[in-house]
Amino acid sequence: MSSMTGNKIKISVFGQSHSKGIGVVIDGLPAGKKIDMEKVLNFMDRRAPGKNSLSTPRKESDTPEILSGLVNNVTCGAPLCMVIYNENQHSADYSNIIDTPRPSHADYSAYIKHNGFNDVSGGGHFSGRLTAPLCFAGAVCMQILDEMGIEIQAHIQKIKNVYDDKIDYVNIGKWNTAEKSLPVINDEKGKLMIEEIEKARANGDSVGGVIECAVTGVKAGFGEPMFDGIENQLAKNIFGIPAVKGIEFGNGFLATDLYGSENNDDFCIENGEIKTKTNNSGGINGGITNGMPIVFRTAIKPTPSIFKEQNSVSLEKTTEEKLQIKGRHDPCIVQRAVPVVEAVTAITLLDFFI
C-alpha cells in the first residue's frame, strides 16, 4: 500500500487534511523502550502551523492521542497507534478547486487517479498536514536511535538564492538549530531568508529551498544492495514528504564537475579506526554506510497554493479558466519541513539498525 513503508519497522499513515483526524500506526517497535512524550511533543511543535507570518495561520494543537502500543509511556510490543483530531478546518475555502485544479498541485493527477473521488479540501491525503503523524513516528524512532548513539540534525541550506553557512561533512558538530523559528546555522543569513519569504508573501507568491541533513554515530556496514541500500530507502521515504522534488547525497551533482582524484575520499587511520579524509560520498558507498556521517540535501519546491491569479482549466467543461486560490497557505514550507526530514530519516534508519 502506498501509505505504508518499512520492513522491520512498518509505519502506516492515515487521514486527510480536513478529515476528522489523522494518524499513524507503527508496527515492529521493540518492547520495553521508554518514550519521553514531552520530547515527542516538543519535536512535533517544530512542524506545527500558525506560529508566525512565515507559515499558514491555520492553528492546530496537534495533540497526539495514543490508542495502543504504550503502557505508562513504555512500548509493550503491540502496534503503536496515534491519532490527532483536526480542529481548524475551513473546507469551504476549497470549493472552487473541485472543478479547477491548482497548478503544480496534486489536484489534477489525483482526480485522474481516483476517478474524481479524491478529497481536495486542504489537499486531502496529499496535504502537508499528513507530516504531523510522520513527525510523531520520527520522534519515537529518534529516541531509540539516541540510545544507539545516533544523532540526526537538519538545517535550511538555502531559501530562494540565500545560502546558510557551509558545513564540514567530516566534522559535523552540533548546529543547535532546533529551537529557532528559522532553523539555520548563521542567524544573519536567516534574516535574509525571512526577507525573501516576506517578499513572496506580500506579493501573494511563495518560495522554496533546500534542507541539508546529517546523521552521526552510524557504524559502517549497514544497507542492502542493490535496491535496499541506505540511499535507495532514504530517497524513497523522503519523497513521501509533500513538495520534495529532489535529493542528493554528499557532493551529489557537484561531483559531475570534478575529477575522480578530486571527488574520491582517501582512506586514513584515525584513533585506530578506518576513516576517510573527506566525505564527498556522504557516508555511503554502494548503498552501504562507510562509517562517516551520512549527509544529504532535499529540494523543497515553492508552495503551489499561491494567491496570484493563475491559469487552470475546468475539469467539467474542458475549458481554460482563471484560478484565484482562497484560504490559508504557507508562503514557504521549508522551515516547517526541516523536522519532517529529520523524522523520515529516523524512521528509515531505525528500520536498518534495529
Side-chain angles (χ1 to χ4, degrees), residues 3 14-19 22 58 86 89-98 100-102 104-111 114 117-131 240 242-243 303-305 325-330:
S3 299
F14 61 87
Q16 299 113 254
S17 178
H18 288 195
S19 60
I22 55 177
R58 177 177 178 175
N86 289 325
Q89 311 97 307
H90 288 182
S91 297
D93 291 340
Y94 296 84
S95 57
N96 65 323
I97 66 171
I98 294 174
T100 313
R102 289 166 289 182
S104 291
H105 203 284
D107 298 335
Y108 173 68
S109 54
Y111 173 86
H114 299 301
F117 292 103
N118 57 302
D119 180 10
V120 300
S121 297
H125 192 63
F126 299 88
S127 170
R129 181 93 186 103
L130 275 298
T131 59
T303 318
S305 293
I325 294 174
K326 300 178 289 185
R328 304 163 296 175
H329 306 286
D330 296 79

Side-chain angles (χ1 to χ4, degrees), residues 6 42 52 58 84 105 113 139 192 195 199 239 290 315 327:
N42 288 339
N52 50 50
R58 177 177 178 175
I84 297 169
H105 203 284
K113 173 71 175 178
L192 296 176
E195 289 179 9
K199 186 193 306 180
F239 270 103
N290 62 18
L315 298 173

Side-chain angles (χ1 to χ4, degrees), residues 21 33 35 74 85 115 121 140 151 155 157 284 302 327 329 341:
K33 296 295 182 181
I35 303 300
V74 177
Y85 293 104
N115 298 313
S121 297
V140 169
E151 183 177 17
H155 74 116
Q157 189 203 28
I284 303 167
H329 306 286
V341 169

Side-chain angles (χ1 to χ4, degrees), residues 237-290:
N237 289 340
I238 289 292
F239 270 103
I241 303 171
V244 167
K245 296 302 290 183
I247 188 169
E248 62 176 359
F249 294 82
N251 271 354
F253 288 101
L254 175 63
T256 64
D257 297 333
L258 305 176
Y259 290 109
S261 57
E262 297 172 308
N263 190 63
N264 289 348
D265 298 313
D266 289 347
F267 287 107
C268 62
I269 303 297
E270 186 176 299
N271 297 322
E273 294 185 8
I274 297 175
K275 298 288 183 181
T276 57
K277 293 183 178 180
T278 54
N279 189 20
N280 298 326
S281 300
I284 303 167
N285 297 118
I288 303 170
T289 57
N290 62 18

Side-chain angles (χ1 to χ4, degrees), residues 322-342:
K322 295 293 184 181
L323 174 64
Q324 190 75 55
I325 294 174
K326 300 178 289 185
R328 304 163 296 175
H329 306 286
D330 296 79
C332 180
I333 61 170
V334 178
Q335 68 276 13
R336 294 179 60 203
V338 169
V340 185
V341 169
E342 293 176 357

